[in-house]
Amino acid sequence: MMTIHDPQFAAGLRNARPDRTARTPVSAKASRSPFQYGQLDARHDPDTQTLWTDMRPRTRPSFNPDLLVDFVHWQADIVDAVDTGAMPIRYLVLGSRFPGVFSLGGDLDLFAHAIRTRDHGALSRYGRTCVQILHRNMCGLDRPIITIGLVEGDALGGGFEALLSFHVVIAERGTSFGLPETLFGLFPGMGAHCFLSRRLGAARAERMILSGRTYSADELYEMGLIHGLAEPGEGRRMVADYIRQNDRRHSAHCAIYEASRAVNPLPLKELEAVVDLWAEAALRLTEGDLKRMERLVAAQTRLLDKAAD
């Protein structure tokens, strides 16, 4: 069985779509340097024991297969660094360097190709990889680590789902959030239903998912899904302030998050079961649905072109 740590994993995901962004297959962990990635920039602050990491996607600002493998290696490197004492890490911050975007979510190009070729395995493999990464993040990698999502740009689809796995989310005003999957006949299958049902209750979670609408950072703050609001350009400073102000309560906060998971557990199997339902639903999409999906791909590509100008 191929696992997410298998060096062939990224190649397997890339082969699920046309070879438009093919790159050298990810090498085995032994042949790479820790904390060196193709699409993630990581910087350790020893004073606050914080690992600041930014996504730097080479293609559209979405979770392409190579970026997923970078996340797998990133999490493994963090565990190794903490367990060996090589790099003490108490806080883990994830942001994005793409202008105006945290993440637009799943690789829609990959999805469309897998659906047209009836490749249920490719869809399931991609989704399961995503939720395994998010579940580990939700659990703080089973270490005394507090995870913080830093939002300086829009988070849509899987980008919003990813943020729901963080202990703390700090967002700048003016950023937007949403789950647009219903616009092309699908539903968010990488954790939104599970996370939102526990945070908001099943009825409110379904209402949010079915609406397909976009929410402001202020609205999500009122719902309790965002924990801090910063003015535009002040997000990183607010995260640094949060870490400094709460550092003495770090152990208590870790214990509270652990207790919350015990009271309201979210097993990985539940997330994976929803992924399988999502993959089955994806294969029922019509050609019209796929064309709407591909229009979103074109819009994302225009963002990439604009950022490159």
Side-chain angles (χ1 to χ4, degrees), residues 16 22 29 38 43 48 61 80 85 116-117 161 175 183 188 213 218 223 228 239 243 258 279:
K29 182 179 177 181
R43 175 181 64 85
T48 59
D80 287 347
R116 284 201 170 97
T117 57
E161 291 181 284
T175 53
L183 301 179
R213 61 162 289 205
D218 292 80
M223 294 181 192
V239 170
I243 292 170
E258 187 175 2

Side-chain angles (χ1 to χ4, degrees), residues 89-211:
I89 299 172
R90 289 154 60 92
Y91 295 93
L92 186 59
V93 181
L94 180 67
S96 171
R97 287 297 184 186
F98 194 95
V101 177
F102 175 80
S103 174
L104 301 181
D107 190 329
L108 299 183
D109 200 20
L110 183 154
F111 297 169
H113 180 72
I115 291 166
R116 284 201 170 97
T117 57
R118 315 304 296 169
D119 194 343
H120 182 280
L123 293 168
S124 179
R125 185 163 58 247
Y126 178 97
R128 282 173 173 256
T129 302
C130 289
V131 298
Q132 288 169 24
I133 293 168
L134 297 191
H135 190 266
R136 296 197 80 197
N137 191 62
M138 178 192 78
C139 296
L141 302 174
D142 295 315
R143 304 300 188 276
I145 294 174
I146 293 176
T147 61
I148 303 174
L150 167 61
V151 187
E152 299 170 290
D154 296 344
L156 302 176
F160 184 16
E161 291 181 284
L163 287 170
L164 294 171
S165 73
F166 284 84
H167 298 135
V168 178
V169 177
I170 291 176
E172 294 184 358
R173 284 193 163 92
T175 53
S176 298
F177 305 78
L179 300 167
E181 288 84 352
T182 56
L183 301 179
F184 48 82
L186 205 50
F187 72 92
M190 282 52 148
H193 204 293
C194 302
F195 287 120
L196 289 173
S197 293
R198 283 165 171 78
R199 301 275 189 89
L200 304 177
R204 291 182 70 194
E206 288 179 2
R207 190 184 313 140
M208 176 177 280
I209 292 168
L210 289 168
S211 73

Side-chain angles (χ1 to χ4, degrees), residues 14 17-23 59-60 64-66 107 109:
R14 281 196 296 271
R17 63 176 173 181
D19 193 17
R20 301 175 186 172
T21 58
R23 291 182 285 279
T59 57
R60 299 183 310 277
N64 63 72
D66 289 325
D107 190 329
D109 200 20

